[in-house]
Amino acid sequence: MLAPTVGHYTFVRDDGQPLDYIPGQFIQVHFQYADGTATKRSYSLATIHDHALGPGEAVEIAVSYVPGGAATALFEGLDEGGTVDASGPFGRFCLMPGDANRRYLLIATGTGVTPYRAMLPQLETLIRERGIEVVLLFGARTPDELLYGDEFRAFADRQPNFRFVPCYSRELPADPHPDTRRGYVQQFLDEFAPQGETDIAYLCGNPNMVDACFEALKGHGLPVPAIRREKYVSSK
Ligand SMILES: Cc1cc2nc3c(=O)[nH]c(=O)nc-3n(C[C@H](O)[C@H](O)[C@H](O)COP(=O)(O)OP(=O)(O)OC[C@H]3O[C@@H](n4cnc5c(N)ncnc54)[C@H](O)[C@@H]3O)c2cc1C
Protein backbone atom coordinates (compact mmCIF):
# COMPACT_ATOMS: atom_id res chain seq x y z
CA MET A 1 0.00 0.00 0.00
CA LEU A 2 1.36 3.41 -1.02
CA ALA A 3 -1.32 5.18 1.00
CA PRO A 4 -4.33 4.03 3.04
CA THR A 5 -6.44 3.61 -0.13
CA VAL A 6 -3.84 3.32 -2.88
CA GLY A 7 -2.12 0.09 -3.87
CA HIS A 8 1.11 -0.16 -5.89
CA TYR A 9 0.95 -3.15 -8.24
CA THR A 10 3.80 -4.72 -10.16
CA PHE A 11 3.07 -6.98 -13.13
CA VAL A 12 5.06 -8.77 -15.80
CA ARG A 13 3.63 -9.88 -19.11
CA ASP A 14 3.02 -13.63 -19.06
CA ASP A 15 3.38 -14.05 -22.83
CA GLY A 16 7.09 -13.25 -22.89
CA GLN A 17 6.60 -10.08 -24.92
CA PRO A 18 8.08 -6.70 -23.93
CA LEU A 19 5.84 -3.90 -22.75
CA ASP A 20 7.76 -0.77 -23.49
CA TYR A 21 6.00 2.58 -23.41
CA ILE A 22 6.52 6.32 -23.49
CA PRO A 23 6.32 7.86 -20.00
CA GLY A 24 2.86 9.31 -19.52
CA GLN A 25 1.07 6.48 -21.29
CA PHE A 26 -1.45 4.14 -19.67
CA ILE A 27 -2.73 0.58 -19.94
CA GLN A 28 -6.32 -0.61 -19.92
CA VAL A 29 -7.39 -3.42 -17.62
CA HIS A 30 -10.21 -5.53 -19.02
CA PHE A 31 -12.69 -7.38 -16.81
CA GLN A 32 -16.38 -8.10 -16.39
CA TYR A 33 -19.12 -6.77 -14.17
CA ALA A 34 -20.97 -9.34 -12.07
CA ASP A 35 -23.59 -9.69 -14.85
CA GLY A 36 -20.88 -10.67 -17.33
CA THR A 37 -20.79 -7.36 -19.23
CA ALA A 38 -17.28 -6.52 -20.41
CA THR A 39 -15.69 -3.32 -19.13
CA LYS A 40 -12.28 -1.74 -18.72
CA ARG A 41 -10.42 0.88 -16.68
CA SER A 42 -7.28 2.85 -17.46
CA TYR A 43 -4.14 3.04 -15.30
CA SER A 44 -1.11 5.19 -15.96
CA LEU A 45 2.20 3.38 -16.08
CA ALA A 46 4.26 4.29 -13.03
CA THR A 47 7.49 2.42 -13.76
CA ILE A 48 10.44 4.83 -13.65
CA HIS A 49 11.41 4.72 -17.31
CA ASP A 50 15.20 4.83 -17.50
CA HIS A 51 15.54 2.32 -20.33
CA ALA A 52 13.36 0.56 -22.92
CA LEU A 53 11.49 -2.17 -21.03
CA GLY A 54 12.10 -5.65 -22.35
CA PRO A 55 10.32 -8.98 -21.71
CA GLY A 56 9.86 -9.89 -18.05
CA GLU A 57 10.44 -6.36 -16.77
CA ALA A 58 8.19 -4.81 -14.17
CA VAL A 59 5.12 -2.89 -15.24
CA GLU A 60 3.97 -0.80 -12.30
CA ILE A 61 0.69 0.97 -11.67
CA ALA A 62 -0.84 2.76 -8.69
CA VAL A 63 -4.49 1.90 -8.10
CA SER A 64 -6.73 4.19 -6.10
CA TYR A 65 -9.50 2.31 -4.30
CA VAL A 66 -12.87 3.94 -4.91
CA PRO A 67 -15.77 2.89 -2.64
CA GLY A 68 -18.05 0.55 -4.58
CA GLY A 69 -15.72 0.63 -7.60
CA ALA A 70 -15.76 -2.33 -9.96
CA ALA A 71 -12.03 -2.30 -10.77
CA THR A 72 -11.36 -1.55 -7.11
CA ALA A 73 -12.99 -4.88 -6.21
CA LEU A 74 -10.93 -6.63 -8.89
CA PHE A 75 -7.64 -5.25 -7.55
CA GLU A 76 -8.53 -5.68 -3.88
CA GLY A 77 -9.32 -9.33 -4.57
CA LEU A 78 -6.07 -9.95 -6.43
CA ASP A 79 -3.60 -12.20 -4.61
CA GLU A 80 0.14 -12.09 -5.11
CA GLY A 81 0.82 -13.99 -8.32
CA GLY A 82 -2.64 -13.19 -9.67
CA THR A 83 -3.24 -12.06 -13.25
CA VAL A 84 -5.24 -9.39 -15.04
CA ASP A 85 -6.03 -8.92 -18.72
CA ALA A 86 -4.64 -5.69 -20.06
CA SER A 87 -3.95 -3.89 -23.32
CA GLY A 88 -1.80 -0.97 -24.29
CA PRO A 89 0.14 1.16 -23.98
CA PHE A 90 -2.11 4.04 -25.04
CA GLY A 91 -2.15 7.79 -24.78
CA ARG A 92 -0.34 10.97 -25.69
CA PHE A 93 0.11 12.55 -22.26
CA CYS A 94 3.85 12.55 -22.88
CA LEU A 95 6.76 14.97 -23.05
CA MET A 96 7.14 16.06 -26.67
CA PRO A 97 10.59 15.91 -28.32
CA GLY A 98 9.91 19.19 -30.18
CA ASP A 99 9.11 21.25 -27.08
CA ALA A 100 11.31 24.34 -26.76
CA ASN A 101 9.86 25.62 -23.48
CA ARG A 102 11.99 26.83 -20.59
CA ARG A 103 9.83 25.29 -17.86
CA TYR A 104 7.40 22.44 -17.28
CA LEU A 105 4.64 22.89 -14.74
CA LEU A 106 3.59 19.38 -13.74
CA ILE A 107 0.39 19.32 -11.72
CA ALA A 108 -1.34 16.32 -10.19
CA THR A 109 -3.70 15.06 -7.55
CA GLY A 110 -3.64 11.53 -6.13
CA THR A 111 -2.59 8.76 -8.50
CA GLY A 112 -2.37 11.43 -11.22
CA VAL A 113 1.25 11.85 -10.15
CA THR A 114 2.30 8.45 -11.55
CA PRO A 115 3.03 9.68 -15.11
CA TYR A 116 5.51 12.16 -13.64
CA ARG A 117 7.24 9.38 -11.71
CA ALA A 118 7.71 7.54 -15.02
CA MET A 119 9.05 10.76 -16.61
CA LEU A 120 11.80 11.43 -14.01
CA PRO A 121 14.71 10.10 -16.13
CA GLN A 122 13.46 12.05 -19.18
CA LEU A 123 13.19 15.19 -17.05
CA GLU A 124 16.70 14.63 -15.73
CA THR A 125 17.99 14.49 -19.32
CA LEU A 126 16.08 17.64 -20.28
CA ILE A 127 17.43 19.49 -17.25
CA ARG A 128 20.97 18.45 -18.18
CA GLU A 129 20.72 19.03 -21.93
CA ARG A 130 18.36 22.00 -22.20
CA GLY A 131 18.66 23.51 -18.72
CA ILE A 132 14.89 23.47 -18.29
CA GLU A 133 13.17 24.04 -14.98
CA VAL A 134 10.43 21.80 -13.62
CA VAL A 135 7.86 22.51 -10.94
CA LEU A 136 5.81 19.59 -9.64
CA LEU A 137 2.70 20.71 -7.77
CA PHE A 138 1.19 17.67 -6.14
CA GLY A 139 -2.11 17.79 -4.27
CA ALA A 140 -2.89 15.37 -1.46
CA ARG A 141 -5.20 15.60 1.50
CA THR A 142 -2.74 14.41 4.15
CA PRO A 143 0.97 13.45 4.37
CA ASP A 144 0.21 9.73 4.21
CA GLU A 145 -1.51 10.28 0.84
CA LEU A 146 1.55 11.88 -0.78
CA LEU A 147 2.31 9.03 -3.20
CA TYR A 148 6.01 8.53 -3.95
CA GLY A 149 6.66 11.72 -1.94
CA ASP A 150 10.08 10.56 -0.70
CA GLU A 151 11.17 9.77 -4.25
CA PHE A 152 10.15 13.18 -5.57
CA ARG A 153 11.79 14.95 -2.63
CA ALA A 154 15.03 12.98 -3.16
CA PHE A 155 14.97 13.85 -6.89
CA ALA A 156 14.43 17.54 -6.07
CA ASP A 157 17.31 17.46 -3.59
CA ARG A 158 19.60 16.15 -6.36
CA GLN A 159 18.27 18.48 -9.07
CA PRO A 160 18.19 22.19 -8.20
CA ASN A 161 16.12 22.83 -11.38
CA PHE A 162 13.33 20.56 -10.08
CA ARG A 163 11.01 21.94 -7.42
CA PHE A 164 8.69 19.61 -5.59
CA VAL A 165 5.74 21.45 -4.04
CA PRO A 166 3.37 19.19 -2.11
CA CYS A 167 0.03 20.90 -1.41
CA TYR A 168 -1.98 19.44 1.45
CA SER A 169 -5.66 20.28 1.65
CA ARG A 170 -6.32 18.88 5.12
CA GLU A 171 -3.23 18.28 7.21
CA LEU A 172 0.41 19.34 7.02
CA PRO A 173 3.33 17.07 7.95
CA ALA A 174 4.88 17.61 11.39
CA ASP A 175 8.07 19.14 9.98
CA PRO A 176 7.16 20.58 6.57
CA HIS A 177 9.80 21.28 3.91
CA PRO A 178 9.91 24.99 2.98
CA ASP A 179 8.27 24.15 -0.40
CA THR A 180 5.22 22.62 1.29
CA ARG A 181 1.91 24.46 0.90
CA ARG A 182 -1.47 24.20 2.61
CA GLY A 183 -4.44 24.17 0.23
CA TYR A 184 -5.37 22.97 -3.27
CA VAL A 185 -2.83 22.93 -6.09
CA GLN A 186 -4.79 25.48 -8.12
CA GLN A 187 -4.38 28.04 -5.31
CA PHE A 188 -0.62 28.09 -5.82
CA LEU A 189 -0.34 28.52 -9.58
CA ASP A 190 -0.02 32.32 -9.29
CA GLU A 191 3.05 31.92 -7.10
CA PHE A 192 4.90 30.38 -10.05
CA ALA A 193 3.79 33.13 -12.48
CA PRO A 194 2.93 30.89 -15.45
CA GLN A 195 3.61 32.50 -18.83
CA GLY A 196 2.77 31.53 -22.39
CA GLU A 197 6.33 32.35 -23.58
CA THR A 198 8.09 30.00 -21.15
CA ASP A 199 5.77 27.31 -19.86
CA ILE A 200 4.17 24.05 -20.86
CA ALA A 201 1.80 22.55 -18.30
CA TYR A 202 0.66 18.99 -17.66
CA LEU A 203 -2.49 18.36 -15.60
CA CYS A 204 -3.36 14.90 -14.37
CA GLY A 205 -5.88 13.36 -11.98
CA ASN A 206 -9.09 14.70 -10.50
CA PRO A 207 -11.24 16.15 -13.35
CA ASN A 208 -12.30 19.19 -11.28
CA MET A 209 -8.69 20.04 -10.55
CA VAL A 210 -7.79 19.60 -14.22
CA ASP A 211 -10.61 21.96 -15.30
CA ALA A 212 -9.77 24.56 -12.64
CA CYS A 213 -6.06 24.60 -13.53
CA PHE A 214 -6.82 24.63 -17.28
CA GLU A 215 -8.92 27.78 -16.92
CA ALA A 216 -6.38 29.43 -14.62
CA LEU A 217 -3.47 28.67 -16.97
CA LYS A 218 -5.39 29.99 -19.98
CA GLY A 219 -5.96 33.12 -17.91
CA HIS A 220 -2.19 33.39 -17.48
CA GLY A 221 -1.80 33.36 -21.27
CA LEU A 222 -0.83 29.75 -21.92
CA PRO A 223 -2.09 28.63 -25.32
CA VAL A 224 -4.31 25.53 -25.24
CA PRO A 225 -1.71 23.25 -26.95
CA ALA A 226 0.67 24.11 -24.09
CA ILE A 227 -1.78 22.76 -21.50
CA ARG A 228 -1.84 18.96 -21.71
CA ARG A 229 -4.50 17.11 -19.78
CA GLU A 230 -5.30 13.62 -18.52
CA LYS A 231 -8.54 13.36 -16.57
CA TYR A 232 -8.94 10.29 -14.42
CA VAL A 233 -12.52 9.33 -15.22
CA SER A 234 -14.01 5.86 -15.41
CA SER A 235 -14.39 4.44 -18.92
CA LYS A 236 -17.62 2.50 -18.48
C1 LIG B 1 -6.22 7.82 -19.01
C2 LIG B 1 -6.62 7.43 -17.59
C3 LIG B 1 -5.64 7.03 -16.71
C4 LIG B 1 -5.99 6.66 -15.41
N1 LIG B 1 -5.00 6.28 -14.57
C5 LIG B 1 -5.30 5.91 -13.30
C6 LIG B 1 -4.27 5.51 -12.39
O1 LIG B 1 -3.08 5.51 -12.71
N2 LIG B 1 -4.64 5.13 -11.14
C7 LIG B 1 -5.96 5.14 -10.73
O2 LIG B 1 -6.23 4.78 -9.58
N3 LIG B 1 -6.95 5.51 -11.58
C8 LIG B 1 -6.65 5.89 -12.85
N4 LIG B 1 -7.65 6.25 -13.70
C9 LIG B 1 -9.03 6.09 -13.24
C10 LIG B 1 -9.40 4.60 -13.32
O3 LIG B 1 -9.42 4.20 -14.70
C11 LIG B 1 -10.78 4.30 -12.73
O4 LIG B 1 -11.72 5.17 -13.23
C12 LIG B 1 -10.81 4.44 -11.21
O5 LIG B 1 -9.79 3.61 -10.66
C13 LIG B 1 -12.14 3.95 -10.65
O6 LIG B 1 -12.46 2.68 -11.14
P1 LIG B 1 -13.41 1.67 -10.36
O7 LIG B 1 -13.85 0.65 -11.35
O8 LIG B 1 -12.77 1.20 -9.10
O9 LIG B 1 -14.68 2.56 -9.93
P2 LIG B 1 -16.03 2.71 -10.78
O10 LIG B 1 -16.82 1.45 -10.70
O11 LIG B 1 -15.69 3.22 -12.14
O12 LIG B 1 -16.73 3.88 -9.97
C14 LIG B 1 -17.44 3.64 -8.73
C15 LIG B 1 -17.98 4.96 -8.21
O13 LIG B 1 -16.90 5.80 -7.80
C16 LIG B 1 -16.87 7.04 -8.53
N5 LIG B 1 -15.47 7.33 -8.84
C17 LIG B 1 -14.75 6.86 -9.89
N6 LIG B 1 -13.47 7.28 -9.82
C18 LIG B 1 -13.38 8.01 -8.69
C19 LIG B 1 -12.33 8.70 -8.06
N7 LIG B 1 -11.08 8.73 -8.59
N8 LIG B 1 -12.58 9.34 -6.90
C20 LIG B 1 -13.81 9.33 -6.34
N9 LIG B 1 -14.87 8.68 -6.90
C21 LIG B 1 -14.66 8.03 -8.06
C22 LIG B 1 -17.70 6.79 -9.77
O14 LIG B 1 -18.30 7.97 -10.24
C23 LIG B 1 -18.74 5.78 -9.26
O15 LIG B 1 -19.79 6.46 -8.61
C24 LIG B 1 -7.34 6.65 -15.00
C25 LIG B 1 -8.32 7.05 -15.92
C26 LIG B 1 -7.98 7.43 -17.19
C27 LIG B 1 -9.05 7.85 -18.15
Side-chain angles (χ1 to χ4, degrees):
M1 298 302 291
L2 286 175
T5 60
V6 183
H8 178 99
Y9 289 79
T10 302
F11 296 96
V12 290
R13 279 182 70 149
D14 64 1
D15 60 2
Q17 296 297 307
L19 180 74
D20 197 26
Y21 70 100
I22 304 168
Q25 290 189 303
F26 61 91
I27 55 169
Q28 291 190 323
V29 172
H30 301 256
F31 62 104
Q32 295 175 342
Y33 291 119
D35 67 2
T37 313
T39 188
K40 62 188 182 209
R41 297 288 185 276
S42 303
Y43 293 92
S44 300
L45 289 152
T47 309
I48 295 176
H49 197 284
D50 59 358
H51 65 283
L53 300 187
E57 292 204 76
V59 174
E60 299 167 67
I61 59 173
V63 177
S64 179
Y65 295 162
V66 174
T72 297
L74 174 85
F75 281 105
E76 282 188 315
L78 202 63
D79 289 326
E80 208 161 309
T83 60
V84 293
D85 289 324
S87 59
F90 304 108
R92 295 189 301 166
F93 187 71
C94 304
L95 299 170
M96 302 293 175
D99 286 344
N101 57 315
R102 291 227 310 277
R103 184 171 68 170
Y104 283 113
L105 298 172
L106 308 180
I107 303 169
T109 52
T111 47
V113 83
T114 52
Y116 309 140
R117 181 182 192 246
M119 287 174 190
L120 286 176
Q122 277 189 334
L123 292 167
E124 191 163 14
T125 303
L126 289 168
I127 289 170
R128 193 177 59 243
E129 292 182 353
R130 286 214 288 117
I132 60 154
E133 290 179 27
V134 182
V135 179
L136 171 57
L137 281 161
F138 180 15
R141 285 179 299 190
T142 57
D144 62 359
E145 294 185 1
L146 195 76
L147 314 178
Y148 310 113
D150 292 344
E151 293 179 14
F152 289 121
R153 173 59 59 216
F155 187 82
D157 288 346
R158 286 202 315 274
Q159 297 283 349
N161 282 21
F162 184 97
R163 266 186 84 182
F164 177 44
V165 184
C167 306
Y168 298 101
S169 59
R170 292 198 189 161
E171 178 193 323
L172 286 175
D175 184 18
H177 185 278
D179 279 341
T180 300
R181 300 289 180 271
R182 174 158 201 151
Y184 295 106
V185 284
Q186 52 268 38
Q187 290 171 246
F188 302 101
L189 286 175
D190 288 358
E191 182 183 331
F192 297 94
Q195 287 179 36
E197 299 76 44
T198 48
D199 291 311
I200 290 180
Y202 284 73
L203 314 174
C204 191
N206 180 295
N208 296 328
M209 177 283 287
V210 170
D211 287 342
C213 289
F214 180 64
E215 291 306 322
L217 290 166
K218 275 198 303 188
H220 279 282
L222 265 71
V224 171
I227 312 174
R228 299 165 186 169
R229 293 167 284 170
E230 193 84 287
K231 290 187 184 181
Y232 280 6
V233 290
S234 286
S235 42
K236 292 189 184 175

